[in-house]
Amino acid sequence: MEFPRWAIPVAAVMSASGLLLTGCGQETTGTQNAGAGSRQSPAADPSADPSAEPEVKPATLEVANVDELGKVVTDGEGRTLYRFDKDTSRPPASTCADACAKAWPPVMTGQGEVELKGVDENLIGKVRRPDGQWQVTLGGWPLYRYAKDASPGDVKGQGVGDTWYAAAPDGKKAAAQPQREQGGEDEGGRWAGWTVIKVKQDPALGLIVTDGKGRVMYRFDKDRVKKTNCFGDCKKAWPPVPFTNWKKVKVEGVDRKRVGFIERKGDPACQLTINGWPMYYFAKDEQAGDTKGQGVQNVWWAVSPQGNRITTAVGGGGGY
């Protein structure tokens, strides 16, 4: 593979990133989500040279669909990556340093190769920054994260100052896409394949928890914290809300510390919990916002943003 003289190539590899995950995508090193327990980071190597530069881990570039923008490039944690109009691509050069680099952290790479998933390796390179570290480039353009993007999938940096734009997989600026007239936020678009948790105002129940399509979530009085007692016919009537993995969780209106999961036998293998309580749908809820499961058998309840049951009965139809 031949690169222009202005680009320093980084070959792609498709090996594992080194982050150990359980079947539900839970990290087994470092700090874990409070709902799934915690683990302290390993102690530092006492023989390590304290004056040595910290080793920069190889970067990961992936492709994700964003509802407003189409396909964009993200890092291994699902965070959107951006390019800066005041930089140059031929030759590659970064003009973002000091305070700019704090607001827009550069995507750095160490001695290892960049891991790619859906990105053309021929477009990948790196450029040396003034501090001597190497920054990843895509199509010659240095890549950055945006500090105000709080969650994977956020694109708050798009269009900032008319100079910052999400990077498309070809290295160009991601462009605004036509809005869909129908379908939920995570339906085949921005959050497809994610666990999306939102809050909506129900006229009878107040604030209740839903998914990205507006489907209401319920909890079951016969469950216990972090334990499900809904199997067989119960599971058919009350399908568990699946939990994808920690890299693909989008939360709006609920404290992220209350979000967790339990492992189940069968499909889904992992079930979402709010404040420790397993979450379910009701099979008879036909449309977004339906609350037909509310109060069924006096044991099934819609859920508040705090994970508490809402005992105002507006449904009460048959079922479990």
Side-chain angles (χ1 to χ4, degrees):
M1 179 170 58
E2 186 173 323
F3 281 79
R5 287 179 295 173
W6 45 262
I8 301 177
V10 181
V13 296
M14 296 304 293
S15 60
S17 65
L19 181 66
L20 300 178
L21 304 177
T22 70
C24 300
Q26 178 181 348
E27 298 181 13
T28 60
T29 59
T31 303
Q32 296 178 346
N33 179 276
S38 62
R39 187 186 302 267
Q40 296 297 319
S41 298
D45 182 357
S47 65
D49 180 1
S51 63
E53 288 284 340
E55 183 179 353
V56 179
K57 295 182 179 180
T60 298
L61 303 187
E62 301 179 350
V63 176
N65 282 312
V66 173
D67 205 24
E68 299 93 335
L69 302 177
K71 291 184 177 181
V72 302
V73 178
T74 70
D75 65 11
E77 297 179 351
R79 296 188 61 184
T80 304
L81 302 183
Y82 299 87
R83 44 170 282 180
F84 186 31
D85 279 356
K86 293 183 180 180
D87 288 347
T88 59
S89 62
R90 296 193 179 210
S94 170
T95 61
C96 181
D98 302 324
C100 175
K102 291 181 180 179
W104 301 89
V107 178
M108 311 303 294
T109 186
Q111 298 298 321
E113 298 171 326
V114 177
E115 181 179 348
L116 303 177
K117 297 180 182 179
V119 179
D120 185 352
E121 67 177 47
N122 295 312
L123 298 176
I124 301 301
K126 61 182 181 179
V127 62
R128 188 184 291 274
R129 294 178 57 80
D131 60 6
Q133 297 190 68
W134 292 98
Q135 182 174 359
V136 179
T137 63
L138 176 62
W141 291 95
L143 294 178
Y144 306 82
R145 301 176 181 88
Y146 185 40
K148 292 184 179 180
D149 280 351
S151 302
D154 283 351
V155 286
K156 297 177 182 177
Q158 177 71 4
V160 168
D162 290 328
T163 55
W164 290 94
Y165 297 93
D170 59 3
K172 298 179 181 179
K173 302 176 187 178
Q177 301 293 311
Q179 294 293 319
R180 295 193 306 273
E181 295 182 0
Q182 298 179 349
E185 183 179 355
D186 64 340
E187 188 174 320
R190 180 175 184 179
W191 304 114
W194 288 55
T195 300
V196 181
I197 306 160
K198 303 185 75 173
V199 171
K200 66 161 289 185
Q201 181 73 37
D202 182 86
L205 304 177
L207 292 176
I208 60 175
V209 178
T210 74
D211 68 5
K213 300 178 185 178
R215 293 187 67 188
V216 175
M217 298 184 192
Y218 300 88
R219 52 175 277 186
F220 184 31
D221 281 353
K222 294 183 180 181
D223 281 350
R224 295 293 180 265
V225 171
K226 298 184 182 179
K227 179 177 176 60
T228 177
N229 287 303
C230 184
F231 303 98
D233 290 340
C234 174
K235 178 183 170 183
K236 293 179 182 178
W238 300 90
V241 178
F243 178 93
T244 307
N245 60 58
W246 286 117
K247 290 183 179 181
K248 292 188 175 182
V249 175
K250 174 67 175 175
V251 184
E252 294 181 9
V254 175
D255 187 343
R256 195 177 180 90
K257 294 180 181 178
R258 296 182 184 272
V259 177
F261 67 89
I262 59 172
E263 295 188 32
R264 297 180 58 99
K265 293 181 180 180
D267 185 22
C270 306
Q271 181 176 0
L272 174 70
T273 62
I274 303 292
N275 208 26
W277 287 91
M279 293 290 104
Y280 304 84
Y281 299 119
F282 186 40
K284 293 184 179 181
D285 281 349
E286 299 173 352
Q287 299 180 359
D290 280 353
T291 55
K292 296 177 182 177
Q294 175 66 5
V296 167
Q297 291 194 346
N298 208 36
V299 291
W300 290 95
W301 311 99
V303 179
S304 75
Q306 293 74 37
N308 299 325
R309 61 181 186 171
I310 300 173
T311 55
T312 304
V314 298
Y320 279 82

